[in-house]
Amino acid sequence: MKPVLPLSLLPTAVGPLALLLLLAGCGEEPAAQPAATQAPVAAPATPSLPAPDEEIFAAAFAAACPEAEPVAVSSCRSLGLGESDFSCEYGLGEDEVLRHDATLTPAEGEWTLVDPETVCAQ
């Protein structure tokens, strides 16, 4: 009669053997090749206007309000992320204080004042 393994030794005797069989089977299949996909090509960005500085604001103001005193000082800030308009504060003539305000918006490739009648009347 053949010697029989006691049941208490069965998990320890079969465990390493099963592990060895599992490891022997590894690496036999070729790795799956990723599907060739082309990354989406971003559309070229449309050229945008530069952020308005004192010179740009003064030119936009002079074009909209030719009878007004020239802009002495100005400061423009974006209305927020994703917004194209800028809020500007400015002083006219000899005034160095930012007493007036206006909004610039891009139109036809240049900065223009929003509501020029009200802005020119200030």
Side-chain angles (χ1 to χ4, degrees):
M1 184 167 195
K2 289 184 176 180
V4 177
L5 271 170
L7 289 178
S8 62
L9 292 178
L10 187 60
T12 56
V14 174
L17 181 62
L19 183 61
L20 183 62
L21 289 174
L22 284 174
L23 289 176
C26 290
E28 290 183 15
E29 293 182 22
Q33 297 296 324
T37 58
Q38 186 174 0
V41 177
T46 56
S48 62
L49 294 171
D53 56 12
E54 284 192 44
E55 184 179 321
I56 291 172
F57 178 78
F61 184 84
C65 309
E67 294 86 31
E69 291 185 77
V71 174
V73 63
S74 66
S75 175
C76 297
R77 294 187 179 130
S78 173
L79 290 181
L81 187 63
E83 297 291 329
S84 60
D85 293 352
F86 279 74
S87 173
C88 301
E89 297 178 323
Y90 61 97
L92 298 174
E94 299 294 319
D95 198 356
E96 294 293 322
V97 179
L98 304 175
R99 299 182 194 274
H100 309 285
D101 60 343
T103 302
L104 285 180
T105 190
E108 299 177 13
E110 63 183 19
W111 289 106
T112 59
L113 292 176
V114 172
D115 193 15
E117 295 82 23
T118 304
V119 172
C120 294
Q122 291 185 18

